[in-house]
Amino acid sequence: MTENDAEKARPAGDRPDAEQSANWAAQPAPQQPDATGLGGHATPHTGAQQAYPAEQQQYNPWSPQAQQTQEHQTQGQYTQSHQIPGQQTPFTQPGPSVYAVPQQRQAQKSTSGKLLAGVAAIALVVGGVAGGTVGYLTGDGSGGSAVNALDAPKPAQQTGNLPAGSVESVAQKLSPSVVELQVSGRSGAGEGSGFVLSTDGYVLTNNHVVEVAAGGGQIQAVFQDGKKGTATVVGRDPTTDIAVVKVSGVSGLTPVELGRSDDLRVGQPVVAIGSPFELTGTVTSGIVSALNRPVSAGGNGDQTTVMSAVQTDAAINPGNSGGPLANMSGQVIGINSAIYSPKSAQGQGGEGGGNVGIGFAIPIDQARRTADDIINTGQATQTFIGARVQTAPTGGAQLGEITPGSPAEKAGLKSGDVVTKLDDRSIPNADALVAEIRTRAPNDKVKFTLSGDKVIEVTLGGQPVTPN
């Protein structure tokens, strides 16, 4: 396969290459005669507060000096500059009692005397700006006692009856089934996400999450309730970025409910759950932003890992890879696998940029079929036609060398044919054709529309995938 116009993105489970505008961590599978499938940490940042210096808080509005000052203010204009810690230049404020709040404040120890001075400063502000309101601090203005929110009783606790179709209800339903996968091997270590398929421990995730452990490494599964278990790779498919692992030593697992991805609509709300930056059990929400988006998981134009992805603006970050994307019924409709990370969003030293509102998920219909193959046979099956393909200069996917005896040859396709549609789906470039073929199953019959409006029916083939 050759270079194409597919979207470049990177997996949501690893670090990017600083020299690329969009990079994937998944290692591309070996080039196959007909390649047809793809390839997630933030540090909490806290601010602190700094008390104002005591010398700025000693003004007493009830002193004789204050009364003199107030009289002077009624006869003319009075301004005073106050230099506040953390600001570059002083600022001018009307009256001696008004203090600006610094944009950044840092923690500083204070004595009880300074705290009392702070109370005086507050009173000064209120009294100086709105004279006569001091009485409000001690009464409600009508002779009655003050109303204080701190004296009110706590409201009743929220009940467990969550509204159907809410993000809360989806999170409550799915979270127990989402797993953090901590992976290590000879070539490195990392972490990602997955979700439970069966009560006996099968977990669906991304190939790029677990491939580092495929050659004798270790995988630990951590569940929402703190349970931990050792996981082993059952099988994986680099061409579709799908893998299945099995967890042992843990009981009482809750399988997810799988939905379908062939009836998704742009704009419908979705929820993503996973472990971004090792923050286990993180829930984010958004919408389906686009459908059938050809995305190359391998980067660099590698067609061996192209998928027809579900695009979403739900926040997906490094570590979300392999986690579920669900509809508002709590049904899994995709596997979060990649994010678009432009060079401008990447940190220094090649550190990965975070979410920019463009994430990609493998449609669950495709993932379901591959997972079923892996569990039943230990090996995935790749859908193919047996022809090389490149983007035609005028648009569409131009066929190159045709493999003898392949589905393409049997259907009568020839080198040089330009495919412009597959069934009712427009094919603008080579990646679009590869991605669309991968969404189908072996033995599916599809119609190729060629340039000139010639239509040829092709029965798709299937071949075992040998992991890299």
Side-chain angles (χ1 to χ4, degrees):
M1 302 302 176
T2 62
E3 182 75 29
N4 52 71
D5 299 330
E7 290 282 351
K8 299 288 195 295
R10 70 179 182 83
D14 220 328
R15 302 182 184 279
D17 185 344
E19 298 301 323
Q20 297 177 353
S21 64
N23 188 15
W24 301 78
Q27 297 297 321
Q31 188 72 27
Q32 305 211 8
D34 177 50
T36 39
L38 180 316
H41 294 276
T43 303
H45 184 82
T46 58
Q49 295 184 346
Q50 175 173 314
Y52 293 121
E55 61 264 26
Q56 292 181 349
Q57 303 174 350
Q58 301 302 318
Y59 178 74
N60 187 341
W62 291 279
S63 67
Q65 291 86 346
Q67 299 300 320
Q68 256 186 344
T69 299
Q70 292 176 7
E71 289 174 6
H72 180 71
Q73 286 182 281
T74 60
Q75 297 171 2
Q77 297 297 320
Y78 175 73
T79 61
Q80 176 175 336
S81 295
H82 299 277
Q83 180 70 45
I84 301 301
Q87 299 215 357
Q88 297 298 319
T89 58
F91 61 94
T92 302
Q93 294 284 354
S97 62
V98 180
Y99 293 85
V101 178
Q103 292 183 356
Q104 271 192 319
R105 294 173 289 180
Q106 298 179 347
Q108 176 178 324
K109 293 183 180 179
S110 59
T111 64
S112 58
K114 290 180 179 178
L115 290 175
L116 290 175
V119 174
I122 294 172
L124 180 62
V125 171
V126 176
V129 176
T133 61
V134 174
Y136 182 78
L137 298 176
T138 57
D140 62 4
S142 60
S145 59
V147 176
N148 192 326
L150 298 175
D151 296 331
K154 291 182 179 179
Q157 284 190 330
Q158 298 184 71
T159 67
N161 299 322
L162 300 177
S166 66
V167 175
E168 295 168 276
S169 64
V170 175
Q172 185 182 66
K173 177 180 179 178
L174 265 184
S175 292
S177 304
V178 181
V179 188
E180 178 185 14
L181 297 175
Q182 301 171 348
V183 183
S184 62
R186 287 177 295 178
S187 61
E191 59 89 29
S193 305
F195 52 90
V196 177
L197 289 176
S198 66
T199 56
D200 57 348
Y202 285 111
V203 170
L204 187 58
T205 185
N206 284 141
N207 171 68
H208 77 260
V209 170
V210 301
E211 65 180 345
V212 69
Q218 296 181 331
I219 306 174
Q220 184 178 59
V222 183
F223 295 83
Q224 182 195 40
D225 59 4
K227 291 180 182 177
K228 297 180 180 181
T230 301
T232 56
V233 177
V234 178
R236 57 196 185 88
D237 179 8
T239 67
T240 57
D241 196 29
I242 292 170
V244 176
V245 301
K246 190 170 185 180
V247 184
S248 59
V250 179
S251 61
L253 300 182
T254 304
V256 299
E257 180 184 357
L258 298 180
R260 57 190 302 164
S261 51
D262 61 353
D263 64 351
L264 294 177
R265 300 180 302 275
V266 173
Q268 77 174 77
V270 289
V271 174
I273 306 180
S275 302
F277 300 114
E278 300 181 9
L279 299 173
T280 307
T282 296
V283 177
T284 57
S285 64
I287 62 170
V288 172
S289 302
L291 295 168
N292 310 305
R293 185 74 79 191
V295 176
S296 174
N300 302 318
D302 186 357
Q303 289 179 335
T304 61
T305 55
V306 174
M307 67 172 175
S308 180
V310 177
Q311 182 181 328
T312 181
D313 68 348
I316 298 174
N317 284 289
N320 272 114
S321 281
L325 184 70
N327 60 25
M328 302 313 290
S329 295
Q331 300 167 331
V332 178
I333 51 88
I335 305 175
N336 300 317
S337 299
I339 58 176
Y340 177 70
S341 186
K343 191 171 184 178
S344 60
Q346 296 178 5
Q348 296 180 350
E351 293 297 316
N355 172 264
V356 294
I358 304 176
F360 304 101
I362 303 169
I364 198 60
D365 292 349
Q366 178 179 347
R368 183 175 196 157
R369 184 177 65 253
T370 301
D372 194 51
D373 285 345
I374 290 174
I375 292 173
N376 291 329
T377 69
Q379 198 170 30
T381 301
Q382 180 189 58
T383 307
F384 79 109
I385 61 169
R388 293 188 178 276
V389 60
Q390 64 183 11
T391 299
T394 57
Q398 184 173 22
L399 302 183
E401 180 185 353
I402 306 294
T403 304
S406 67
E409 184 188 58
K410 292 177 181 178
L413 292 170
K414 294 179 172 55
S415 177
D417 285 342
V418 176
V419 181
T420 58
K421 290 179 67 176
L422 190 156
D423 289 338
D424 60 351
R425 189 88 63 217
S426 177
I427 303 297
N429 52 46
D431 271 12
L433 178 60
V434 174
E436 283 302 320
I437 290 173
R438 288 212 176 119
T439 64
R440 269 66 173 186
N443 299 317
D444 279 357
K445 296 182 184 297
V446 297
K447 292 181 179 180
F448 281 23
T449 300
L450 308 181
S451 57
D453 294 331
K454 181 179 179 180
V455 178
I456 292 181
E457 186 176 80
V458 181
T459 300
L460 303 177
Q463 60 187 9
V465 176
T466 301
N468 53 326

